[in-house]
Amino acid sequence: MDVRQMIESITREVLQSMKIPQEKKPKWLFIFCDSTAHEPFADQFIALQNHGICHDLLFLDGETSSWLGMHRIECGGAGKIIATDEYAPAPLELPKEYDGIVIPEIDLDNAARVAAGLKGTIKAEVIFSALVLGKPVLVGEDVPGIKRSDRRCLKTLTLPLPYQKLFLRHVNDMKELGIEFAAQKELAASIIRKSRAIRQAAELAIPLPDAAGMQPADAKLITADWVQSQSDFPDSALVLRQGAIVSPLALDLLKEKGVKVHYVR
């Protein structure tokens, strides 16, 4: 081996060994109805990037098939799952790799499946898996409940009133399952808040036995004004339920008071 090549090889190995491990960034999965449905969300993707949040896009080309990058993912219904190539994950496996799932638009069929605990479509299986794994699921709330393909085929934008009522009932059932809804234009902001809360919970979480007898605060958003309004913090601790958000100013104020923040389920 040439001396220069040997020195270059040794230098490269030394530099690689000196690499500082980077903090893992949160990553969310967006599931879109087709390959053009993501275009109105370009600005929101920029906002996520600016806040250090990664995302992947999953495009559906049918109820039981979709594309994630170059990999085709298929599900053949309840009890039958097919990954068409060796590198493509099954729908149930997808949420394992993400901090949360985002479905900007859901329709009557998928809402009914999710509310009833049924599978058989990509969206239904991914949502089921995410909820079982305790991953957050965020769904657009300002949607008509009728598929994009059905709107184009039937030349209509809304469901008939009886179907609208049925869709709303399914939406309420989905909320009871723990699925969160937000306006489509606010999805990025919701992801940023949720990712911040998840990071805070991971940094400050304490084992549940250690929190025995400690009553979590009812507030979902802790602000500086809220902190100042509290006369006392027992044991110099503030216990919050997972999902509660502490503003940066409130966190600084709590540190000044010597109050530690803990999260419990």
Side-chain angles (χ1 to χ4, degrees), residues 120-190:
T121 67
I122 296 291
K123 289 182 179 179
E125 293 203 6
V126 170
I127 291 176
F128 172 82
S129 177
L131 294 177
V132 170
L133 294 174
K135 301 290 183 71
V137 178
L138 187 60
V139 178
E141 65 180 0
D142 46 347
V143 295
I146 183 171
K147 296 182 178 70
R148 285 166 58 92
S149 58
D150 291 344
R151 297 200 295 267
R152 288 192 293 265
C153 177
L154 301 175
K155 305 301 179 184
T156 184
L157 300 177
T158 59
L159 292 168
L161 185 58
Y163 274 134
Q164 290 181 23
K165 294 180 178 180
L166 180 61
F167 178 66
L168 291 177
R169 288 202 296 269
H170 291 324
V171 168
N172 290 330
D173 290 340
M174 292 171 66
K175 291 179 179 178
E176 292 184 0
L177 292 174
I179 298 172
E180 299 183 33
F181 285 77
Q184 287 186 334
K185 65 180 181 180
E186 298 294 333
L187 289 176
S190 298

Side-chain angles (χ1 to χ4, degrees), residues 52-224:
I53 300 175
C54 304
H55 68 276
D56 283 342
L57 307 181
L58 182 70
F59 298 116
L60 300 179
D61 58 350
E63 287 301 321
T64 59
S65 59
S66 57
W67 288 91
L68 180 62
M70 297 298 292
H71 301 305
R72 181 181 177 87
I73 298 168
E74 290 191 359
C75 97
K80 184 179 180 182
I81 300 172
I82 304 172
T84 59
D85 66 65
E86 59 180 321
Y87 301 107
L92 281 177
E93 296 175 326
L94 284 176
K96 294 180 179 180
E97 306 298 327
Y98 297 93
D99 294 279
I101 305 297
V102 186
I103 301 180
E105 184 171 339
I106 197 164
D107 54 84
L108 176 62
D109 175 40
N110 279 288
R113 290 176 181 273
V114 173
L118 300 177
K119 302 178 185 177
T121 67
I122 296 291
K123 289 182 179 179
E125 293 203 6
V126 170
I127 291 176
F128 172 82
S129 177
L131 294 177
V132 170
L133 294 174
K135 301 290 183 71
V137 178
L138 187 60
V139 178
E141 65 180 0
D142 46 347
V143 295
I146 183 171
K147 296 182 178 70
R148 285 166 58 92
S149 58
D150 291 344
R151 297 200 295 267
R152 288 192 293 265
C153 177
L154 301 175
K155 305 301 179 184
T156 184
L157 300 177
T158 59
L159 292 168
L161 185 58
Y163 274 134
Q164 290 181 23
K165 294 180 178 180
L166 180 61
F167 178 66
L168 291 177
R169 288 202 296 269
H170 291 324
V171 168
N172 290 330
D173 290 340
M174 292 171 66
K175 291 179 179 178
E176 292 184 0
L177 292 174
I179 298 172
E180 299 183 33
F181 285 77
Q184 287 186 334
K185 65 180 181 180
E186 298 294 333
L187 289 176
S190 298
I191 293 171
I192 293 169
R193 289 195 298 269
K194 180 65 68 174
S195 296
R196 185 182 297 120
I198 292 174
R199 184 174 64 251
Q200 289 179 344
E203 293 175 349
L204 304 174
I206 58 176
L208 189 59
D210 294 343
M214 303 174 71
Q215 182 64 31
D218 294 331
K220 295 182 178 179
L221 174 61
I222 305 300
T223 63

